Amino acid sequence: MALAFDEYGRPFIILKEQEQKSRLRGLEAQKANISAGKAVARILRTSLGPKGMDKMLQSPDGDVTITNDGATILEQMDVDNQIAKLMVELSRSQDYEIGDGTTGVVVMAGALLEQAEKLLERGIHPIRIAEGYEMASRIAVEHLEHISQKFEFTVGNIEPLVQTCMTTLSSKIVNRCKRMLAEIAVKAVLAVADLERKDVNLDLIKVEGKVGGKLEDTELVYGITVDKDMSHPQMPKRIEDAKIAILTCPFEPPKPKTKHKVDIDTVEKFQTLRQQERKYFDDMVQKCKDVGATLVICQWGFDDEANHLLMHRNLPAVRWVGGVELELIAIATGARIVPRFQELTPEKLGRAGLVREKSFGTTKDRMLYIEQCANSRAVTVFIRGGNKMMIEETKRSLHDALCVARNLIRNNSIVYGGGSAEISCSIAVEAAADKYPGVEQYAIRSFAEALDSIPMALAENSGLQPINTLTAVKSQQIKENNPYCGIDCNDVGTNNMQQQNVFETLIGKQQQILLATQVVKMILKIDDVIAPSDY
Amino acid sequence: MAAMLQPQIILLKEGTDTSQGKAQVVSNINACTAVADAVRTTLGPRGMDKLIHDDKGNTTISNDGATIMKLLDIVHPAAKILVDIAKSQDSEVGDGTTTVVLLAGEFLKEAKPFIEDGVHSQNLIRSYRIASYLAIDKIKELAVSIEGKSLEEKKTLLAKCAATTLSSKLIGGEKEFFASMVVDAVMAIGSDDRLNLIGIKKVPGGNMRDSFLVNGVAFKKTFSYAGFEQQPKKFLNPKILLLNIELELKSEKENAEIRLSDPLQYQSIVDAEWNIIYNKLDKCVQSGAKIVLSRLAIGDLATQYFADRDIFCAGRVMEEDLQRVAAATGGTVQTSVNNIIDEVLGSCKVFEERQVGNERFNIFSGCPSGQTATIVLRGGADQFIEEAERSLHDAIMIVRRALKNSTVVAGGGAIDMEISRYLRQHARAIAGKSQLFINSYAKALEVIPRQLCDNAGFDATDILNKLRQKHASGQGANYGVDINTGGIADSFANFVWEPAVVKINAMNAATEAACLILSVDETVKNPKSESAQGEAAANAMAGRGRGAAFRGRGGRGMRRR
């Protein structure tokens, strides 16, 4: 930190512990910040697109994650630099809002920073650059709206939705079964969607995974799976037309919450207490039987006596089911959660067409499937895969696909992928740049150049000649006036994305551009970094 | 050097650091200038931000003078005064915190050559005071009232003020959007002075255009128990019951103990407890309320009970949120469920649980008393939203201020130039030293337009000369720096407006601070008390300790010589 000196040459102590603080100011600070941001973007660049590579990350306690999801990579990287942290948050907020395109947004921001550096070297004021970027982003977003297409889907015709989800999944490790997973994602979202309010509560979709089997065994269960088994091994493994009682009280004598003490001074009293207890058990089971329940799901445990009794009375039961699952089961089966036995009534029972216990492979793992529920507003996606990392990555990929489907239900506009939207925007922004007087024009032009970096990265990752491919596609777009030309990553033979069926959501794309611009503006605006100089 | 031979008289405790005289005044001025330099670059629409992170790893990116000053952690005693005036400006008017620090710094800088030439500080102080009175009178005279306009007109005018404040912030790109939002929010709470009725909620994700204003209350979904999802999530014209009690199955008294002699009575105790809670719940239902909110927990039993009866409930609602709901819906918070009458129930037009980003939000809109507003802020990064919140806070304060004393002045350095001109003119009529001092005060005021130009990368001298000429001509009182073209323009016509009270307060506070620092000619710094020293050592900052000790010794040694 620069010190001020007084007349006697003594340094001022103005700030607390000022010798310990480092300070960067002016252009130097901007340069340092930009290079930090660029470094982060460079890491993610190779993960973009269908031919993008994965990253392997090892956490401090040895857990290994293999992923291609931008937000996850950055999260696990545990970056220390403040600017790099901003980039992490950038991708996280894309993840929160849209769920997809987390890599693209960081690459975009990196490209913008790279361009800004060049402009700074020419001596352009950083805020003018930021303002130019902002104008350009507005042009781009408007242009996106212009080239977007609405597409209609109904519950009967889900094909368009599936296609879009497939685009998302194609860049993931699971692209082998993208068709199947996309269908699962779309069906799951449609099952829980409130089409009228255009609201989708993703909490109602449970994603479960279990190691073993193969990816193709992944299935969508219209109902709930619970990672529990029947409380007694001899209980029936399959119940049809089950009437389910959902209890939040244990199968044991109720206890008052107030501190209590039972004085027992005679043998008789002990006997009555004993009898009382047994009667409780008896009553409870009887109660369940009386209302017609054929399956009891209990939030708490029950001791062996109750277990035996239930077995004896031929009443299958599941114990220690968590609160979240309990709620999902209640929603799916239309049951009411019952807090005590006295309140059990036939109306409060839930209905499920089939409840079965399924065991997997040679292990003793069993899971309970509750299917054909009265109300299928809660669904479960059950993922199988060769190893844990694979399942985790599938979960993340599926999350992306679910989000895409949700976004389409909210807003059914799409743009075409494969970099075509970016190229088209780049052309539009470039053309618009000339209309703006002043320094901003340069910034707008640079923005156009930065937009090119996404198709460029796509081409690079696909092993194509980046410059050749990009220029060819760009000229084709202008020549044919066709904004749907993109990079042919999979070597299908056509670069018309409309024919390739590569879609992305409009809001996702818009969000990417806006967020990237926002963060770049923030980084450019900083001209003073005061930090403890420990690192 | 007669002092050399005199024996030293020890007056103060060992380790006390004293310095005095002219040198001390100059030294203080230097320190303050150094601090003012730190915030200098944040002024104006082309001002830059500071990234400050502390040793705990918290990062703040800010453009707000008061926030930066606070985070700089200044220990120099004189420079601390600047922190205080920035804070007071922040709490008094909310905006102009950078301006006030900059002005104070500049006043001191102008005073420094006079002090070095041997002018007595009191002379300076007196002249500065006079100058500030004159300046404030002039501001009042120049201010334009927006009183008596229609509501619509007033709204657009207020939005202009808010936009001027916001233009220097990170969210400047969307200033119109936020300015109108702020004005709507302030209008909603009316003349009520409780600022906490405007809630600002931060949700990471999305872009800033996704921010929205709820004409009512919004808060994040609270922790919920099983059964919550079975409750309806949307109501039209619901009645709302606000509670401050726990709705949970639990022991009624903490220390009570029940003794049972007959095991058969066991059930009755259990039943009694259940009845207590069921009675409570039943009363809630009986009241006819469709939404039950409580500051304390609403347990799983109650959640399921309400779900069975199509009632929405939320427990552990934050105190301030509950207060806002009460104010908005016209309900009152109950501490008991007995005797709930219709009057204590609130109501609103629409209640809805909605997805905002990654969170679900409970939103009450269309409230009858309408005295609350909630701004839900969205943005790409945490720091971004934090800064947006600070900026909005400034804008809200400005709008409220402008609403109260509804006079505005031209911004963009125009008012500063005009006052500077006026003071120079006035100074010529004064005989004596005061002329010089008032002139220097006038010169100091020019720092605002100069800094605006510097930050924007324009030639400050050139523009300042243009402005001086324009103002001297007598018709250009509203001319200020045009940040877009690098020339000068009529700020008032361009709607660069600031509430007059901001300027008045800034002028006052800066002059006060400058005078205060000028009047100090001796600092006595006591050695750190034992506990503070221990703390310093614990902070592992041996360097600082040594530095101070060295300085102390050096100082004394010098005097001995």
Side-chain angles (χ1 to χ4, degrees):
Chain A
M1 176 122 209
L3 293 177
F5 294 96
D6 68 1
E7 278 65 44
Y8 307 112
R10 302 188 307 194
F12 285 122
I13 306 286
I14 296 174
L15 307 185
K16 204 170 159 194
E17 290 149 22
Q18 83 179 356
E19 299 97 276
Q20 262 70 44
K21 281 182 181 155
S22 67
R23 186 169 181 191
L24 275 179
R25 20 186 350 178
L27 207 55
E28 213 180 313
Q30 271 140 4
K31 288 256 172 75
N33 291 343
I34 286 176
S35 62
K38 264 164 52 185
V40 174
R42 213 169 313 135
I43 295 171
L44 285 195
R45 199 178 157 94
T46 53
S47 290
L48 193 76
K51 294 275 192 286
M53 305 300 275
D54 288 0
K55 311 274 173 222
M56 186 155 158
L57 302 144
Q58 194 172 12
S59 75
D61 38 317
D63 285 344
V64 177
T65 313
I66 298 177
T67 184
N68 163 297
D69 183 54
T72 316
I73 297 173
L74 290 181
E75 205 114 324
Q76 308 249 340
M77 270 194 339
D78 200 13
V79 293
D80 207 19
N81 183 292
Q82 294 307 319
I83 299 299
K85 267 187 195 158
L86 277 181
M87 301 290 266
V88 176
E89 274 177 34
L90 165 72
S91 99
R92 194 187 303 154
S93 72
Q94 173 83 7
D95 192 30
Y96 281 171
E97 190 68 16
I98 305 294
D100 184 35
T102 49
T103 314
V105 70
V106 175
V107 172
M108 174 87 206
L112 283 174
L113 285 174
E114 207 169 326
Q115 295 292 336
E117 197 176 20
K118 283 185 202 154
L119 293 176
L120 279 176
E121 263 160 27
R122 289 185 177 183
I124 298 179
H125 196 281
I127 295 193
R128 311 283 307 248
I129 301 175
E131 273 169 18
Y133 277 179
E134 222 155 66
M135 287 177 194
S137 75
R138 238 169 271 162
I139 301 168
V141 166
E142 259 164 50
H143 183 72
L144 278 177
E145 197 122 1
H146 182 66
I147 61 167
S148 73
Q149 290 188 342
K150 288 226 173 266
F151 73 175
E152 298 304 322
F153 61 90
T154 53
V155 182
N157 176 20
I158 58 168
E159 188 56 29
L161 284 175
V162 174
Q163 291 289 357
T164 324
C165 289
M166 272 167 65
T167 309
T168 305
L169 289 172
S170 62
S171 66
K172 310 288 181 189
I173 202 167
V174 295
N175 61 4
R176 180 158 56 97
C177 327
K178 62 179 174 185
R179 171 88 213 174
M180 196 190 76
L181 287 175
E183 272 175 24
I184 288 178
V186 172
K187 279 180 189 159
V189 168
L190 280 177
V192 301
D194 185 342
L195 288 177
E196 228 165 86
R197 275 175 60 201
K198 299 199 167 182
D199 186 34
V200 181
N201 190 351
L202 287 185
D203 288 348
L204 294 176
I205 301 175
K206 209 171 133 212
V207 180
E208 282 270 334
K210 212 164 187 78
V211 180
K214 48 186 192 294
L215 198 56
E216 280 81 359
D217 294 337
T218 302
E219 55 183 334
L220 175 69
V221 182
Y222 282 99
I224 311 291
T225 60
V226 188
D227 199 358
K228 293 277 180 297
D229 48 9
M230 296 293 181
S231 61
H232 198 286
Q234 280 176 302
M235 285 176 182
K237 302 282 181 254
R238 190 184 164 90
I239 307 157
E240 275 172 34
D241 283 327
K243 288 188 184 141
I244 305 171
I246 299 175
L247 297 170
T248 54
C249 50
F251 264 94
E252 44 189 59
K255 281 200 198 93
K257 294 271 175 182
T258 317
K259 243 193 253 169
H260 60 279
K261 207 173 181 182
V262 184
D263 284 335
I264 294 175
D265 38 16
T266 60
V267 179
E268 286 76 45
K269 274 197 182 162
F270 188 74
Q271 290 289 358
T272 25
L273 187 70
R274 188 73 200 100
Q275 263 169 19
Q276 186 97 10
E277 258 180 29
R278 198 168 302 153
K279 194 165 165 295
Y280 266 123
F281 284 126
D282 225 38
D283 279 353
M284 283 176 199
V285 179
Q286 194 54 45
K287 195 88 196 168
C288 297
K289 271 287 192 204
D290 282 349
V291 293
T294 54
L295 175 68
V296 177
I297 289 175
C298 186
Q299 193 175 12
W300 306 102
F302 28 88
D303 56 28
D304 287 345
E305 198 170 339
N307 203 2
H308 171 80
L309 216 61
L310 284 165
M311 169 64 207
H312 210 69
R313 299 279 186 90
N314 199 14
L315 187 60
V318 188
R319 57 182 159 182
W320 296 118
V321 178
V324 182
E325 277 104 356
L326 207 70
E327 191 166 11
L328 283 172
I329 295 172
I331 293 170
T333 61
R336 287 297 179 179
I337 300 168
V338 179
R340 58 176 184 169
F341 289 95
Q342 282 91 325
E343 282 163 45
L344 266 176
T345 53
E347 299 86 62
K348 288 193 175 175
L349 298 182
R351 267 150 233 279
L354 180 66
V355 178
R356 63 197 164 97
E357 203 184 279
K358 197 173 167 187
S359 48
F360 296 101
T362 51
T363 55
K364 279 185 187 158
D365 277 345
R366 291 201 189 85
M367 289 195 63
L368 205 65
Y369 280 56
I370 301 171
E371 288 171 297
Q372 299 168 22
C373 301
N375 168 15
S376 61
R377 288 260 292 148
V379 296
T380 306
V381 181
F382 188 61
I383 298 172
R384 304 302 311 274
N387 54 48
K388 203 171 147 234
M389 283 167 249
M390 182 73 183
I391 287 182
E392 289 301 312
E393 176 65 1
T394 312
K395 268 189 190 172
R396 278 190 290 271
S397 312
L398 203 65
H399 168 78
D400 283 8
L402 289 173
C403 288
V404 167
R406 176 189 66 178
N407 294 339
L408 280 174
I409 286 175
R410 279 200 200 148
N411 180 347
N412 62 355
S413 300
I414 50 135
V415 291
Y416 290 91
S420 67
E422 282 89 354
I423 297 174
S424 175
C425 280
S426 162
I427 294 169
V429 170
E430 182 112 49
D434 298 336
K435 290 180 203 140
Y436 289 86
V439 188
E440 283 83 0
Q441 194 186 87
Y442 271 80
I444 296 176
R445 229 175 259 142
S446 300
F447 190 91
E449 231 161 278
L451 277 171
D452 281 344
S453 71
I454 293 211
M456 193 91 96
L458 271 179
E460 244 169 74
N461 292 346
S462 314
L464 299 168
Q465 283 278 342
I467 296 177
N468 279 354
T469 323
L470 182 66
T471 46
V473 173
K474 212 169 186 179
S475 71
Q476 195 184 354
Q477 276 213 7
I478 296 177
K479 218 183 291 162
E480 297 172 13
N481 196 14
N482 174 7
Y484 310 129
C485 293
I487 308 287
D488 181 16
C489 298
N490 291 326
D491 208 16
V492 178
T494 168
N495 53 17
N496 189 333
M497 292 296 140
Q498 212 168 5
Q499 284 163 21
Q500 275 206 25
N501 281 333
V502 179
F503 310 116
E504 279 178 76
T505 54
L506 171 67
I507 42 176
K509 249 305 94 83
Q510 285 181 330
Q511 191 80 12
Q512 267 187 5
I513 291 177
L514 286 173
L515 274 179
T517 316
Q518 205 177 71
V519 166
V520 168
K521 181 175 181 192
M522 191 160 185
I523 294 174
L524 282 178
K525 236 184 144 212
I526 298 167
D527 78 329
D528 203 341
V529 180
I530 300 170
S533 63
D534 302 351
Y535 37 83
Chain B
M1 281 300 186
M4 192 171 62
L5 302 170
Q6 275 177 1
Q8 203 179 9
I9 302 164
I10 296 171
L11 258 181
L12 300 168
K13 213 161 85 180
E14 176 74 357
T16 310
D17 182 18
T18 74
S19 31
Q20 56 180 326
K22 196 167 85 185
Q24 175 61 22
V25 180
V26 174
S27 153
N28 280 343
I29 291 177
N30 283 347
C32 291
T33 325
V35 171
D37 276 343
V39 291
R40 191 171 280 273
T41 54
T42 64
L43 189 81
R46 295 262 199 271
M48 308 293 277
D49 289 2
K50 309 271 163 195
L51 188 152
I52 301 167
H53 53 146
D54 56 18
D55 21 341
K56 288 184 211 91
N58 300 326
T59 315
T60 314
I61 297 178
S62 184
N63 176 283
D64 182 47
T67 312
I68 297 170
M69 296 297 273
K70 203 160 56 196
L71 290 170
L72 276 179
D73 212 359
I74 290 172
V75 290
H76 191 282
K80 257 189 180 166
I81 295 172
L82 292 190
V83 182
D84 287 344
I85 57 168
K87 265 188 210 158
S88 81
Q89 175 84 1
D90 192 33
S91 53
E92 191 63 27
V93 271
D95 189 34
T97 48
T98 310
T99 314
V100 73
V101 175
L102 211 53
L103 274 179
E106 202 64 20
F107 288 154
L108 289 170
K109 207 166 157 192
E110 289 293 331
K112 192 169 139 194
F114 291 118
I115 299 280
E116 276 169 348
D117 288 349
V119 174
H120 197 280
S121 336
Q122 289 302 338
N123 271 335
L124 267 168
I125 292 172
R126 199 178 314 128
S127 303
Y128 272 14
R129 288 249 159 85
I130 295 170
S132 82
Y133 291 142
L134 288 170
I136 287 165
D137 283 344
K138 186 71 183 168
I139 295 176
K140 283 181 182 154
E141 185 191 317
L142 284 172
V144 177
S145 174
I146 56 167
E147 201 68 68
K149 303 271 171 65
S150 73
L151 188 67
E152 272 313 303
E153 222 171 322
K154 223 172 181 174
K155 256 189 173 171
T156 47
L157 294 179
L158 288 172
K160 297 270 158 47
C161 284
T164 309
T165 307
L166 290 175
S167 64
S168 65
K169 311 288 184 187
L170 197 53
I171 52 177
E174 304 284 353
K175 61 182 176 194
E176 283 87 14
F177 176 72
F178 282 108
S180 65
M181 184 187 279
V182 164
V183 172
D184 283 343
V186 174
M187 285 297 190
I189 64 163
S191 57
D192 212 332
D193 231 359
R194 288 189 293 166
L195 195 61
N196 58 2
L197 288 180
I198 301 182
I200 298 184
K201 298 279 157 190
K202 294 170 279 187
V203 189
N207 68 65
M208 47 190 173
R209 276 232 161 225
D210 292 336
S211 309
F212 58 92
L213 176 77
V214 178
N215 209 345
V217 189
F219 55 86
K220 211 161 83 184
K221 189 191 111 171
T222 52
F223 178 81
S224 61
Y225 289 91
F228 178 77
E229 291 298 332
Q230 285 179 306
Q231 295 173 348
K233 297 296 168 56
K234 187 174 182 177
F235 288 105
L236 292 174
N237 293 319
K239 287 209 172 111
I240 303 162
L241 176 61
L242 306 166
L243 293 172
N244 193 6
I245 52 170
E246 278 186 335
L247 291 176
E248 236 176 332
L249 182 64
K250 57 162 196 146
S251 60
E252 277 302 304
K253 288 275 176 289
E254 281 300 319
N255 304 320
E257 193 185 280
I258 304 166
R259 271 170 194 271
L260 296 172
S261 50
D262 182 4
L264 289 173
Q265 288 170 344
Y266 203 78
Q267 182 65 39
S268 63
I269 300 296
V270 174
D271 282 345
E273 276 190 348
W274 282 83
N275 282 337
I276 291 172
I277 177 84
Y278 271 131
N279 267 333
K280 281 188 192 166
L281 295 177
D282 201 41
K283 276 179 184 147
C284 295
V285 177
Q286 293 282 314
S287 70
K290 279 286 164 207
I291 297 170
V292 179
L293 303 179
S294 177
R295 201 175 69 78
L296 298 171
I298 293 184
D300 51 349
L301 174 69
T303 307
Q304 287 143 20
Y305 188 88
F306 287 136
D308 278 351
R309 287 155 186 80
D310 285 341
I311 290 173
F312 177 88
C313 71
R316 292 188 204 280
V317 179
M318 299 284 282
E319 170 88 56
E320 43 170 28
D321 287 329
L322 201 69
Q323 291 301 338
R324 272 207 291 277
V325 175
T329 61
T332 22
V333 180
Q334 298 295 303
T335 46
S336 146
V337 285
N338 294 321
N339 298 327
I340 295 173
I341 44 172
D342 248 8
E343 280 80 66
V344 301
L345 295 179
S347 85
C348 69
K349 272 218 184 70
V350 186
F351 165 80
E352 198 179 1
E353 185 187 294
R354 214 190 312 160
Q355 184 93 24
V356 178
N358 211 22
E359 316 265 12
R360 292 195 79 82
F361 260 72
N362 296 329
I363 295 172
F364 300 83
S365 49
C367 302
S369 61
Q371 276 181 356
T372 52
T374 308
I375 296 173
V376 180
L377 273 182
R378 311 295 315 277
D382 281 345
Q383 281 96 341
F384 186 92
I385 309 180
E386 297 280 333
E387 173 64 2
E389 188 193 357
R390 280 192 291 272
S391 311
L392 280 190
H393 170 80
D394 282 7
I396 289 171
M397 294 295 280
I398 282 296
V399 173
R400 285 190 51 228
R401 275 285 160 183
L403 200 62
K404 266 192 192 155
N405 339 22
S406 35
T407 50
V408 293
V409 293
I415 186 78
D416 308 276
M417 280 313 279
E418 181 60 18
I419 291 170
S420 170
R421 183 199 61 81
Y422 169 72
L423 286 177
R424 272 172 212 265
Q425 205 181 26
H426 182 85
R428 272 185 220 125
I430 303 173
K433 280 187 212 153
S434 200
Q435 184 185 27
L436 274 175
F437 305 152
I438 293 188
N439 249 336
S440 69
Y441 188 94
K443 183 155 178 257
L445 285 175
E446 282 177 2
V447 71
I448 303 282
R450 184 156 6 105
Q451 197 59 47
L452 282 176
C453 296
D454 276 347
N455 287 351
F458 303 144
D459 186 348
T461 323
D462 197 26
I463 293 175
L464 233 60
N465 282 334
K466 276 190 205 163
L467 277 176
R468 274 196 213 117
Q469 184 267 335
K470 198 84 196 173
H471 281 261
S473 74
Q475 293 131 30
N478 289 330
Y479 271 74
V481 182
D482 184 348
I483 227 73
N484 296 319
T485 61
I488 59 171
D490 188 340
S491 298
F492 206 81
N494 285 338
F495 300 114
V496 182
W497 293 358
E498 286 177 90
V501 64
V502 173
K503 272 284 158 225
I504 295 175
N505 209 58
M507 213 72 95
N508 249 337
T511 314
E512 282 293 320
C515 292
L516 190 62
I517 290 166
L518 284 177
S519 68
V520 173
D521 75 334
E522 172 152 0
T523 319
V524 178
K525 210 166 162 192
N526 283 320
K528 286 207 162 166
S529 65
E530 289 299 314
S531 65
Q533 247 163 11
E535 214 172 275
N539 283 346
M541 289 299 137
R544 177 180 148 60
R546 227 185 309 131
F550 171 74
R551 203 155 56 94
R553 240 181 290 130
R556 249 180 296 128
M558 215 141 39
R559 233 177 302 142
R560 205 171 289 140
R561 202 172 354 111

